[in-house]
Every structure is written in structure tokens, then in C-alpha cells.
């Protein structure tokens, strides 16, 4: 046994996190087992039928570009990367008659703490992303695309490259796809450890071979994107949703979820639950049901709080969270964001100061340094939370934290500044007594970590 | 210097991009360098710069911006343990502490025999598998209990003895 084979014994199989039977009406994760990721398996599950339908190779008349975009609009599919922007609308922003090159980019730079869904899509069902991208490229008249994959999941990048080779060999990618008049070249690229490249314009800079420092918007990528050309960027899960929508229709997709929140969504549930993992369930599923699917709160403890949409989203106390359904509108109404669908669960043994200390360190570490409020402000937030946690905090620090957070939010080129500020403000808003206790007693209100 | 095989891999990466955008392959080329040589030296940056028609400082901007590039030699096995909040809630810190004790090194340090470099890292994107650890930028190791950490370290050490 060589070293690679030895190390492989420690790799995940996906059994605990993906191939369980606790999804509800899954579309993207349906019927996966970790071995059936290849082209022939995907086709046996109905894969590439949507592409054949679009190209008129299934005996039908085919779909026009407008018909594809109209179907995606009707589906009310919203961007799964975090912003929840309507996908069909985004696609319609692309100039149709642009004379030069246009680009399609898949954002697989999945680094928002708590989020691990795209990795399992690409690892266990890579062709669903490829098919979704081909259809998107067709709809917008794009001939070249890139999938930018988080550098830390290098094995998944290698898997995706293998799937691309299969698709090219089968005539599903390249010149004159399946004998039609449509051509599309798709390549994989990878990051190498920079959270900021999940921001779409930071990602574009990185794809151009530079530091991943975000650009001012406007201009938006649809007019000035990769190499200055019109570009559409969608998240991995967004592309993965497209084949089902084309096969079954936009209305059917809406009916899977709830109005304005179509389809299924994959939630990555981490933290204090018995069975952490990814769960694909209909939009609008009650949070209480999702918690149940994840085996409930660990060790029979009480739920204390939930960070519902990745580490950047404002924390919600248990009572508010238990009233929510898992969709963009319900979580927004409660004062947070569905974000990437990464649900971080905290039980009643957790110290919120310590939790915020780790998050604030992360944002300081990952600030790209371009904007002063973020570069300096994230350092201030991290150092002040750190001194409160370690028993050196002052009463005035609580006001200082709110003030620094307020001076960052809305004052930076990209959303990382907001992402650093929002968790601080929400923690103080909902859990102020814990912070005050820490300052006054130089220790924790809740029992020590186990 | 770099092997012919790596240069062939460079060419495959460059071919993904428009002819006038060879710079786009810089991250992949630096990764290939690191896979072969273990780290990215200033000489390697100059070599990649020459290959892609960039200035060496533009290459260095990339090496120094992205966390996973090693700017100096590391141990034969680089171990990155995630301690971000979702992992902190599921023993990520415990895994880091266990490795510190077992290897007798601190964060960002290498064992005296040059075998292991230990680094705390940010989100690896495998939160439900926590505690998670990345070995040599490639192999993601999941659910790393103390027992499994011991098996991994002992196994890699004995593989060294055998070879």
C-alpha cells in the first residue's frame, strides 16, 4: 500500500453526510451512492435528457434561448450561492447580440464557514453541473465557460476534470455538441486558499491570474466580467437545479417549494446536532423539521441559537428560529439571511463570546486588505472580542464593537465588510447579557467547553 | 529545477485560456510547482513568470495572497486542521491540540525530523465531516477522532521507515 492509498482510508465516503435517506424529494442528490458519479450512471438517472430536449434531439422541436430563460424565470429559481438573486432575471441581463466573446462562470469556491454542499454535488454528481452549465451557455449564447473550484477540495477538482473528459469524449462538450449547431468549451480552474474569491468579482480577478481583490460594481459582470467581457456567474447548486427545471417545467419547480422560493434547497447542517450533513429538502420546510432530519440537538441538549445561512448571516435565538421555515423570505423576515443554506447549530452549553471570537478572527484573516474600513475594522473587531473573551474587556468595549461594526458595514467595495460586521451586531443584539457578564466577571456565563 | 512532466502539466493549464491570457494559469502552475518541489521559491516564481510572460512580482503577489502556497520549505506532510466555528463546535480545536501534543510542535511549526508541519487553517468546506484535516493540500481526512489521528500519524511514520 502506498501513501496515497493509506491516506484514502481517512477520506469521507459521503455515507453519513449525503447518502442517507433523510432528504425530502431530492432532485440533485437523488439516488446517489458515491460510486455512480460517471456519465453512464448519470444518463441512467435521466441525465442529459434536458440538454437533448433543449437541442431538439429528443424528437421535439427544441427550445429557443428565450424559451429556456422564460422557463427558468417561471421556476423562480434563486441563486444558491448566498444572495438569492433570481437566476432567470440574471440570465436575461446578458447582452444577446454582443459581437465578441462572452463567458459563463460557475462559482464553486465554497468557503463560507458551514457550507459543504457544492463539494458533494461535484464529487458525487458532477455531470449535473456540467449539464446545467451547457444549458445556461446555450440560453445566453456563450461558447466558453469555467468552473472555479475551492482549492481546498482538490480531490473534487480532480473528479470534476475527469467528468469533463467523459463529457468531451461523448460529444457533450466541445464543437457542435451532439451534432447540433451549438458549441461550448468548459474548463475547470481552482483557487488555493482565499475566502474572498467566493465574491464573484474577486473570483474573476483570480481567474485572470491575480490577487482576488473584488472590483467596484457597477459595472456588473454582465457588462464587464472575465477579461472585461460580458460574463454570467452562478453558484454550483444553481446550475445543478437547471436540468430538472428544463425536464419538468418551471411551474413544477415552483410547486416543489413555495411561491417566490421555488424548488428544493440543500442545507448543510453543522455544529451541535447528532447527525451533521447535507439535507436536500423543499424550500419552505420548517426549521424544526430540518433539525429533526439532522437528528436533533446533540446529547439531548437545548437549542440555544442558529446561524442560518453561513457564518456571515446574523445569528437567531432558538425561539425565533423555531418559528422559521427554510426559505429566503421567512429567514429574511426574522432578521437574518438564508445565504448559502449553511445552518450552524449552537446548543445551550455554548459561549457566544467564544463563538464570535473565532468568527471575528476569520474575517480579519480573510480580509483582502483593499478597503480601509474592512482591513482595519476587522482587526479591531477581532482584538476587542478577543480581549472580552480572555477576561480583559472593558464596559466601553461593547459600545466600541457596535461602533466599529457600524463603520465597516456599507462602506466597503464588497460584502466581506458587511459579513464581518453583521455577526457582531447580531450577537450583541440577541446575547448582550453574556457579553456584559464576560466583562464584569472576566469569565463565562455558561459552563466551560467540553 | 522543475521536471518535464510538470512543464507538460503547465501547458495543459495554459491551453484552457485564450492565447493572450496565459496569466490565468498562474495559480495552477504554482500549485504544480508546489506539488513537485514542496514549496514556491523566488526562483520558481521567476521560472513561472518566464513561462507565462508575466513579471516575477506579479507571480509573487499571487503566491503571497493565497493561503495554501508554501513560501518556504515545509515538512514532508503538511497537516492543515480546520478550527473555524462549525469545526470548533465539533472538536476541531481538540484535534489541533491532540496533534500539537503528539507531534510536539506548535502552530506553523515542523517536527525536527522534517516529517510533519502542523497548521491551523480556515474553512476547508467540509463542515459536516468535522473534525477535518487536509494533508499536503490534497487529501481531505474526515471525522478525525484522536484514534484516527494517531493511526494517521503512526501510519505515515511507519511508511517512512519501510521506504
Amino acid at each position: 500500500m502506498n501513501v496515497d492509498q493509506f491516506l484514502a482510508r481517512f477520506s469521507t465516503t459521503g455515507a453519513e453526510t449525503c447518502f442517507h435517506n433523510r432528504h425530502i424529494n431530492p432532485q440533485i442528490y437523488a439516488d446517489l451512492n458515491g460510486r455512480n458519479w460517471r456519465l453512464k450512471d448519470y444518463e441512467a438517472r435521466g441525465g442529459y435528457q434536458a440538454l437533448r430536449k433543449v437541442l431538439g434531439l429528443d424528437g421535439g422541436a427544441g427550445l429557443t434561448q428565450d424559451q429556456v430563460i422564460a422557463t427558468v424565470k417561471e421556476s423562480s429559481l434563486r441563486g444558491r450561492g448566498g444572495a438569492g438573486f433570481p437566476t432567470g432575471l440574471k440570465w436575461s441581463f446578458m447582452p444577446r447580440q454582443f459581437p465578441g466573446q462572452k463567458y459563463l462562470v460557475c462559482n464553486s469556491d465554497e468557503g463560507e464557514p458551514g457550507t459543504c454542499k457544492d463539494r458533494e454535488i461535484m464529487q458525487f454528481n458532477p455531470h449535473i453541473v456540467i449539464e446545467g452549465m451547457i444549458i445556461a451557455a446555450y440560453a445566453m449564447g456563450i461558447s466558453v465557460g469555467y468552473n472555479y473550484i475551492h482549492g481546498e477540495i482538490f480531490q473534487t477538482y480532480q473528479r470534476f476534470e475527469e467528468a469533463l473528459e467523459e463529457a468531451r469524449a461523448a460529444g457533450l462538450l466541445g464543437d457542435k455538441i451532439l451534432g447540433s449547431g451549438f458549441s461550448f468549451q468548459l474548463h475547470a480552474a481552482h483557487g488555493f486558499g482565499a475566502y474572498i474569491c467566493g465574491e464573484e468579482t474577486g473570483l474573476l480577478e483570480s481567474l485572470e491570474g491575480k490577487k482576488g481583490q473584488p472590483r467596484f460594481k457597477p459595472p456588473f459582470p454582465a457588462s464587464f466580467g472575465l477579461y472585461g467581457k460580458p460574463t454570467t456567474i452562478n453558484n454550483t447548486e444553481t446550475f445543478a437545479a437547471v436540468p430538472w427545471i428544463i425536464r419538468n417545467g418551471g411551474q413544477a419547480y415552483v410547486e416543489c417549494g413555495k411561491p417566490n422560493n421555488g424548488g428544493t434547497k440543500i442545507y448543510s447542517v453543522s455544529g451541535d446536532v447528532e447527525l451533521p450533513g447535507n439535507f436536500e429538502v423543499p424550500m419552505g420546510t420548517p426549521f424544526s423539521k430540518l433539525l429533526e432530519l439532522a437528528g436533533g440537538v446533540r446529547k439531548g441538549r437545548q437549542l440555544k441559537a442558529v446561524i442560518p445561512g453561513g457564518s456571515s448571516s446574523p445569528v437567531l435565538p432558538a425561539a425565533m428560529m423555531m418559528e422559521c421555515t427554510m426559505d429566503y423570505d421567512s429567514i429574511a423576515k426574522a432578521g437574518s439571511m438564508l445565504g448559502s443554506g449553511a445552518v450552524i447549530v449552537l446548543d445551550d452549553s455554548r459561549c457566544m463570546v467564544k463563538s464570535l471570537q473565532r468568527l471575528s478572527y476569520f474575517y480579519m484573516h480573510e480580509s483582502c486588505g483593499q478597503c480601509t474600513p474592512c482591513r482595519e475594522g476587522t482587526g479591531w473587531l477581532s482584538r476587542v472580542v478577543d480581549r472580552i473573551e480572555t477576561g480583559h474587556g472593558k464596559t466601553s468595549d461593547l459600545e466600541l464593537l457596535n461602533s466599529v461594526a457600524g463603520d465597516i458595514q456599507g462602506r466597503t467595495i464588497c460584502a466581506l465588510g458587511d459579513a464581518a460586521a453583521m455577526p457582531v451586531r447580531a450577537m450583541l443584539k440577541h446575547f448582550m447579557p453574556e457579553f456584559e457578564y464576560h466583562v464584569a466577571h472576566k469569565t463565562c456565563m455558561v459552563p466551560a467547553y467540553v | 529545477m522543475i521536471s518535464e512532466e510538470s512543464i507538460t502539466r503547465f501547458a495543459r493549464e495554459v491551453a484552457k485560456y485564450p492565447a493572450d491570457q496565459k496569466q490565468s494559469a498562474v495559480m495552477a502552475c504554482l500549485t504544480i510547482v508546489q506539488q513537485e518541489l514542496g514549496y514556491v521559491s523566488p526562483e520558481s516564481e521567476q521560472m513561472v513568470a518566464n513561462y507565462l510572460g508575466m513579471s516575477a512580482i506579479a507571480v509573487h503577489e499571487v503566491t503571497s495572497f493565497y493561503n495554501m502556497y508554501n513560501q518556504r520549505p515545509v515538512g514532508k506532510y503538511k497537516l492543515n486542521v480546520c478550527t473555524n466555528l462549525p469545526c470548533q463546535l465539533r472538536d476541531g480545536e481538540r484535534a489541533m491540540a491532540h496533534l500539537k501534543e503528539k507531534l510536539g510542535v506548535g502552530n506553523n511549526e515542523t517536527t525536527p525530523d522534517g516529517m510533519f508541519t502542523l497548521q491551523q487553517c480556515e474553512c476547508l468546506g467540509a463542515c459536516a465531516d468535522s473534525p477535518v484535516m487536509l494533508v499536503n493540500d490534497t487529501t481531505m481526512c474526515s471525522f478525525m477522532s484522536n484514534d484516527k489521528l494517531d493511526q494517521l500519524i503512526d501510519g505515515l511514520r511507519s511508511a517512512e521507515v519501510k521506504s
Side-chain angles (χ1 to χ4, degrees), chain A residues 148 197 202-212, chain B residues 24 27 66:
Chain A
Y148 184 99
C197 293
L203 188 156
L204 293 177
E205 288 286 305
S206 184
L207 253 186
E208 293 182 3
K210 304 169 190 164
K211 292 182 287 185
Chain B
S24 283
M27 291 187 58
Y66 296 89

Side-chain angles (χ1 to χ4, degrees), chain B:
Chain B
M1 274 318 273
I2 198 101
S3 66
E4 278 303 313
E5 190 195 340
S6 286
I7 297 289
T8 307
R9 292 179 66 196
F10 281 12
R12 204 155 56 220
E13 294 299 328
V14 168
K16 293 176 179 177
Y17 304 99
D20 60 347
Q21 300 290 349
K22 283 162 73 175
Q23 178 169 345
S24 283
V26 65
M27 291 187 58
C29 291
L30 289 171
T31 304
I32 292 165
V33 167
Q34 182 157 310
Q35 285 167 351
E36 182 178 338
L37 303 175
Y39 77 113
V40 181
S41 65
E43 294 74 29
S44 294
E45 287 176 347
Q46 184 64 59
M47 183 266 298
V48 169
N50 294 344
Y51 187 87
L52 297 175
M54 298 168 66
S55 66
I57 190 67
V59 176
H60 184 63
E61 279 194 338
V62 172
T63 316
S64 54
F65 186 82
Y66 296 89
N67 297 326
M68 289 167 68
Y69 293 116
N70 307 325
Q71 296 185 64
R72 54 195 66 79
V74 295
K76 180 158 189 189
Y77 299 104
K78 182 173 77 166
L79 311 176
N80 285 94
V81 181
C82 178
T83 58
N84 206 306
L85 180 61
C87 279
Q88 177 176 283
L89 298 172
R90 297 193 80 84
D91 292 337
E93 285 188 325
R94 195 264 307 134
M96 184 71 189
H98 185 76
L99 284 174
K100 279 182 181 170
E101 193 186 324
K102 184 167 179 73
L103 298 174
V105 294
N107 186 28
N108 280 321
E109 290 179 5
T110 301
T111 53
D113 60 2
M115 275 282 283
F116 298 102
T117 296
L118 182 62
Q119 293 178 344
Q120 163 182 304
C121 71
E122 295 304 335
C123 188
L124 294 170
C127 316
D129 295 9
S130 175
V132 283
M133 179 172 85
L134 191 63
V135 180
N136 283 349
D137 313 314
T138 303
T139 309
M140 187 87 73
C141 299
S142 299
F143 305 111
M144 296 306 283
S145 60
N146 287 357
D147 278 353
K148 286 178 77 179
L149 289 170
D150 289 344
Q151 286 168 29
L152 182 116
I153 299 297
D154 297 343
L156 289 176
R157 275 186 175 146
S158 72
E160 282 311 299
V161 173
K162 272 184 221 151
S163 64

Side-chain angles (χ1 to χ4, degrees), chain A residues 207-225:
Chain A
L207 253 186
E208 293 182 3
K210 304 169 190 164
K211 292 182 287 185
Q213 293 188 318
R215 302 172 180 171
F216 275 112
K217 291 191 277 191
F220 290 93
S223 53
F224 189 93

